[in-house]
Amino acid sequence: MSDIRRTDAALLLVALVWGSSYLSAQTATAALPVLLVLFARYALSALACLGLVASRRGGARRWTRDELRAGVPLGLTQAAVLVVETYGVAHTSAANAGLIISLTIVLTPLLDRGGRRGSLPASFFAATGVCVLAVALLMSGNGFHAPRLGDLLMLGAAVVRAGHVALVGRFTTGRAIRPLQLTTVQTLVGTALFLPVAALDLPTLVRTDPATWAQLVYLALFCSVFAFLAQTWAVQRTSASRASLLLGTEPVWAVAVGVALGGDHLTPLTGLGAALMVAGTYWGQAVERAHRAAPDPRPPSPSLSPHTSSRTSPHPLDKDSACPTSPTTAPPTTTLTNS
């Protein structure tokens, strides 16, 4: 297999794993309390990350001050993403969850406007409007009615995740932060956060059945640790646009897994909503990427001397969660944002 095909296969596998994570989370939360599921996922991820760090040599085992300063606040925002997202998955279909969370792609540029060129073009907001219409259709089910709690929570999760991704760019740009060390700090922060609220239910976790444990291990090791590291490896070997396109298939895989394995059903309205969501997110992503790549029409700042250069920071969507952690494409310094 050529290097290009190997890289593409890795990115598609990451998108597939992330797309399947919604059904796994839904299955796990059906057997265990949501906060206990989150604690188990974080704890297993932290153990795996610590093992990888311990396998490094010399200074590669140590954390820098920048990695700790970025990892702690990003661990808090990542935990917020997963709380809202996991409660949402527990109250809606896996297909809807994967589609609605893809709104992150078009929401992040709206939140991450600090220090960037002028306002986004009208076509971007048109793409956002298509996505909003898609959400309304997805929430309608068999007919228009009051939105379900899970759908509203997933909508909130998309907003929170977009804010998290914007903060990733703000905290990591221009700093020598290693992805593994940053992710390890985030998983440790999440483990510490969820341990007190899950402590009373730990006996339930110990006694849970092997099938539920398999879901927890899959969420932690495959949807979190493996997906993040494979994503970072692949993004370093391809273009941001190509990686973004391949990782952007996550909602398609979420629908496929939900229908094939989760018993989800697409009515004509929800099917139309799914198509519009995928089209709108791809359109919005393409418009934002072209806008970011275009020459800046603004004249150079007079405060810069001829010997001073300004460096443009990479956009956080040139990628993901740590979610903990996403259908977006991030640079190697991106945290894990997907569920």
Side-chain angles (χ1 to χ4, degrees), residues 103 106-107 110 120 122-134 280-281 283-284:
L103 274 172
V106 293
L107 289 174
L110 297 175
L120 289 161
S123 54
F124 179 85
F125 296 96
T128 304
V130 171
C131 293
V132 172
L133 175 60
T281 52
W283 182 18

Side-chain angles (χ1 to χ4, degrees), residues 156-177:
V159 175
V160 177
R161 188 198 277 193
H164 171 73
V165 174
L167 287 176
V168 169
R170 183 172 300 179
F171 288 149
T172 61
T173 296
R175 296 179 175 89
I177 293 179

Side-chain angles (χ1 to χ4, degrees), residues 154-339:
M154 291 308 301
L155 188 58
V159 175
V160 177
R161 188 198 277 193
H164 171 73
V165 174
L167 287 176
V168 169
R170 183 172 300 179
F171 288 149
T172 61
T173 296
R175 296 179 175 89
I177 293 179
R178 294 161 295 179
L180 178 58
Q181 267 72 9
L182 181 64
T183 303
T184 304
V185 175
Q186 290 177 277
T187 56
L188 291 172
V189 169
T191 302
L193 281 176
F194 290 113
L195 177 58
V197 294
L200 295 178
D201 292 320
L202 288 180
T204 305
L205 180 63
V206 174
R207 296 193 300 268
T208 195
D209 59 277
T212 303
W213 267 110
Q215 299 291 349
L216 295 174
V217 171
Y218 181 72
L219 285 170
L221 301 188
F222 287 88
C223 301
S224 295
V225 179
F226 162 76
F228 174 71
L229 295 177
Q231 174 211 22
T232 302
W233 174 86
V235 167
Q236 290 174 330
R237 288 162 176 79
T238 189
S239 67
S241 297
R242 190 179 185 91
S244 177
L245 179 66
L246 294 169
L247 289 173
T249 61
E250 177 189 341
V252 178
W253 294 113
V255 172
V257 171
V259 171
L261 302 178
D264 294 342
H265 300 284
L266 291 181
T267 66
L269 281 177
T270 54
L272 177 59
L276 288 176
M277 178 62 76
V278 174
T281 52
Y282 271 87
W283 182 18
Q285 186 182 48
V287 170
E288 194 277 337
R289 186 169 58 242
H291 174 71
R292 180 163 28 97
D296 194 339
R298 296 176 299 182
S301 173
S303 62
L304 291 177
S305 69
H307 304 289
T308 305
S309 64
S310 61
R311 180 173 56 186
T312 301
S313 302
H315 193 280
L317 282 184
D318 284 341
K319 167 184 171 193
D320 151 209
S321 173
C323 158
T325 322
S326 323
T328 54
T329 305
T333 55
T334 296
T335 182
L336 185 63
T337 60
N338 192 273
S339 67

